[in-house]
Amino acid sequence: MTTEFNELLPTSPGDRPQVWIIGTREQVMHLINDFYVKKVTSDRARFTPIVPAPFAVGKYMTVLVF
C-alpha cells in the first residue's frame, strides 16, 4: 500500500486487529469459508459484507475484525 492510502486509514490505539481480504469475489468467498473451517474465526458474521475494492478495479474485499 502507498503511504497516502495508509494515512487515510482511520486507526486508534484501541482498534481491534483486522485481516483484509482482497481478490475476486470467488477468492474472497473461498477465504471466508476457509478461515471458518480452519477455526481462525468462530463466526462468519465477524467479516464485513463483501464490497467492491475502491482501490482495485474488478476486485472485492472484506475485513475480518477480531
Side-chain angles (χ1 to χ4, degrees):
M1 283 191 230
T2 65
T3 303
E4 296 83 19
F5 186 70
N6 286 336
E7 291 171 357
L8 294 174
L9 293 172
T11 59
S12 67
D15 285 343
R16 294 195 210 148
Q18 301 175 352
V19 176
W20 288 39
I21 300 174
I22 302 165
T24 65
R25 182 178 270 289
E26 292 77 23
Q27 290 170 330
V28 171
M29 289 172 48
H30 175 75
L31 282 171
I32 288 172
N33 291 330
D34 201 33
F35 277 35
Y36 179 72
V37 168
K38 291 182 179 177
K39 305 211 185 288
V40 174
T41 183
S42 59
D43 189 2
R44 287 184 179 100
R46 291 192 171 258
F47 288 94
T48 62
I50 298 173
V51 296
F55 46 82
V57 178
K59 300 292 182 176
Y60 292 84
M61 65 180 281
T62 187
V63 179
L64 170 61
V65 181
F66 291 95

